[in-house]
Amino acid sequence: VAPDCRGVGTFDIRPFEPPGDVAQLRADIRAFIAEHAPKAEDAALRANCWAVGDAAFSRALGQAGYIGMIWPRQYGGHERHPLERYVVLEELLAAGAPVGMHWIADRQTGALLLRYGTEEQRQRFLPRMAAGELYACIGMSEPNSGSDLASVRARAVREGDGWRISGQKTWTTNAHNAQLMIALVRTEEGSERQNGLTQFLIEMDQPGVEVRPIIDLTGGHDFNEVFLDDVYVPDTMRVGEAGAGWSQVTAELSLERSGPERYLSSYALLTELVRLAGSNPAPRLAELIGEITARLMTIRQMSMSTAAKLAAGEDPVLEAAVVKDLGNGFEQWMPRAVQAVVDADLSGRDDFARILSVLLQVSPSFSLRGGTREILRSIIARGLGLR
Ligand SMILES: Cc1cc2nc3c(=O)[nH]c(=O)nc-3n(C[C@H](O)[C@H](O)[C@H](O)COP(=O)(O)OP(=O)(O)OC[C@H]3O[C@@H](n4cnc5c(N)ncnc54)[C@H](O)[C@@H]3O)c2cc1C
């Protein structure tokens, strides 16, 4: 902290390299991707690929030990170093592999169960998640509760050994494929709105759960509305203490916000741009590739530093918000910057045109999912002691 900044909060991000022995791992995962990733019939599927799912690929990844990499072996995990997992994730994303089926289970639901779940929940769900066969979706947002998450209205009422849950969730990514939702619901009215929230695991195939698709403006079906109508959930499916849901989702959001998916959603475009530029690029193109690469490498260092903090058991809420805000800004800026320099026919079917065209349409959502830019900046301001 600079001397004149003492007393003001700051964030702590240091250059960080993964452990020295990851070269072999990087080669292994590249070979695995070359062998197992399906050849996308539309190159646009390589962009924003963590929203693209393929059950067979997830199962193959699970069998090869690339899901649940840092979880204990007794739950189907592989006890690898968190930064080894980071290397695998960035290789998958950089290659545009379809990781959307298992992404949420691997990134946050599994970690949540390890931290707050019961032994029975861990034994029941984690091995199938690690095998790439059990997928999860996140039931936080509701029609009138997005940024203001503490205002969720879905309710759980005690009944015998369980709870009856009613309410509506929305923007629920992959709910149409997931077998399990981790839902944040109100179990008690309190003077503080953050109190009285609880997380439950809800099996998606049970009576009272209805999933309705929401089609986005590219015609894609990634997210959904989920209606919960008097759904019975045994108390054994409660995650953590009743009423402790707020602090649990806050911890979960640190996992959700700082990973490589927060700056690599547009990476497929960089690959195509380099291909297009060839060995003797025009000066404006060379300059743009240089700028993209410099920004990318800086954000990567920040994201890896935050991953190292998570690995050390810290809760870097502030750093994760900084990484997500800068990362989303970068991956949104890239398609527009490329469009300004390259005279592309966006209706073209070639890989470059398809990837650019889709990214121009979907990238506005990058700074909404996982918490909007304004909300992240208010978290940053609070973390720095500025509000
Ligand atoms: C692609 C995608 C996938 C998603 N997947 C999921 C999912 O799987 N599960 C899930 O639960 N949710 C999911 N979401 C929902 C996402 O978390 C919400 O869209 C987001 O939190 C914003 O909530 P909202 O849409 O209700 O907007 P609102 O909260 O209504 O915000 C509207 C605008 O007002 C601004 N605003 C709101 N409050 C403030 C404030 N206090 N100060 C300043 N500005 C403010 C916001 O920044 C935003 O610009 C997804 C969203 C997208 C786009």
Side-chain angles (χ1 to χ4, degrees):
V1 183
D4 54 351
C5 292
R6 283 203 189 104
V8 176
T10 186
F11 51 83
D12 174 28
I13 287 178
R14 294 149 204 258
F16 198 91
E17 283 300 327
D21 54 358
V22 292
Q24 185 57 47
L25 177 64
R26 210 179 273 288
D28 291 346
I29 182 68
R30 283 185 185 179
F32 176 89
I33 294 167
E35 189 181 341
H36 294 276
K39 176 99 186 71
E41 73 276 15
D42 179 356
L45 294 171
R46 295 208 309 270
N48 194 27
C49 67
W50 57 285
V52 177
D54 182 300
F57 184 65
S58 287
R59 203 172 309 112
L61 266 179
Q63 275 167 9
Y66 293 124
I67 303 179
M69 281 180 71
I70 59 176
W71 304 349
R73 280 188 209 287
Q74 70 196 103
Y75 306 121
H78 304 283
E79 300 187 4
R80 305 290 293 256
H81 191 282
L83 288 151
E84 292 183 301
R85 174 172 176 267
Y86 193 99
V87 165
V88 167
L89 296 186
E90 68 176 354
E91 289 295 335
L92 287 164
L93 295 170
V99 289
M101 282 295 178
H102 65 272
W103 191 261
I104 289 168
D106 182 50
R107 177 181 68 187
Q108 64 195 81
T109 319
L112 190 82
L113 292 183
L114 280 172
R115 187 158 170 186
Y116 301 108
T118 62
E119 186 56 27
E120 183 199 334
Q121 289 166 353
R122 293 175 189 164
Q123 287 185 14
R124 184 167 163 207
F125 298 117
L126 292 178
R128 278 197 299 141
M129 287 182 180
E133 292 169 1
L134 179 66
Y135 321 130
C137 62
I138 305 166
M140 292 192 198
S141 305
E142 297 181 2
N144 295 307
S145 297
S147 303
D148 185 16
L149 194 56
S151 69
V152 294
R153 297 232 293 263
R155 282 189 68 84
V157 178
R158 262 296 195 179
E159 185 183 287
D161 288 339
W163 304 77
R164 287 272 171 199
I165 302 183
S166 291
Q168 181 188 346
K169 296 292 173 183
T170 193
W171 314 124
T172 323
T173 300
N174 215 26
H176 51 305
N177 294 309
Q179 300 97 324
L180 207 58
M181 173 191 270
I182 174 91
L184 182 70
V185 306
R186 182 156 295 287
T187 43
E188 243 178 84
E189 298 297 338
S191 48
E192 288 289 328
R193 291 181 316 146
Q194 278 85 348
N195 297 338
L197 296 171
T198 304
Q199 285 187 299
F200 288 94
L201 293 165
I202 298 179
E203 286 175 289
M204 300 297 282
D205 63 354
Q206 63 185 306
V209 179
E210 188 191 346
V211 178
R212 293 190 200 157
I214 303 177
I215 304 301
D216 68 29
L217 59 75
T218 67
H221 174 200
D222 296 338
F223 48 31
N224 305 270
E225 296 178 292
V226 180
F227 294 84
L228 305 169
D229 182 14
D230 215 21
V231 178
Y232 181 76
V233 176
D235 193 48
T236 52
M237 295 289 262
R238 171 170 49 80
V239 179
E241 295 299 317
W246 183 256
S247 59
Q248 292 177 200
V249 288
T250 310
E252 190 182 337
L253 285 167
S254 293
L255 299 172
E256 188 178 338
R257 286 178 172 157
S258 59
E261 75 273 30
R262 297 301 177 186
Y263 61 91
L264 288 175
S265 308
S266 298
Y267 188 85
L269 185 60
L270 176 59
T271 314
E272 288 308 314
L273 190 66
V274 170
R275 219 190 302 276
L276 185 83
S279 56
N280 189 20
R284 274 191 82 196
L285 213 48
E287 193 184 314
L288 177 60
I289 291 171
E291 185 177 356
I292 292 172
T293 309
R295 288 180 67 170
L296 176 69
M297 294 314 281
T298 310
I299 295 166
R300 176 174 184 259
Q301 281 290 358
M302 298 175 79
S303 168
M304 280 183 36
S305 164
T306 309
K309 282 175 184 285
L310 284 166
E314 296 175 39
D315 237 348
V317 175
L318 171 58
E319 287 83 353
V322 172
V323 169
K324 182 176 182 300
D325 186 36
L326 291 176
N328 291 164
F330 165 73
E331 59 184 15
Q332 280 180 333
W333 160 81
M334 200 209 291
R336 286 183 276 112
V338 170
Q339 189 190 27
V341 170
V342 181
D343 185 19
D345 170 11
L346 292 179
S347 62
R349 298 298 306 169
D350 59 286
D351 289 5
F352 180 81
R354 286 295 301 138
I355 290 172
L356 178 57
S357 152
V358 161
L359 281 174
L360 285 168
Q361 293 173 77
V362 300
S363 56
S365 73
F366 295 171
S367 58
L368 302 176
R369 57 186 181 186
T372 67
R373 174 167 292 133
E374 290 74 19
I375 295 306
L376 293 169
R377 289 185 183 177
S378 74
I379 292 171
I380 295 166
R382 194 177 311 117
L384 293 177
L386 300 173
R387 62 185 280 260

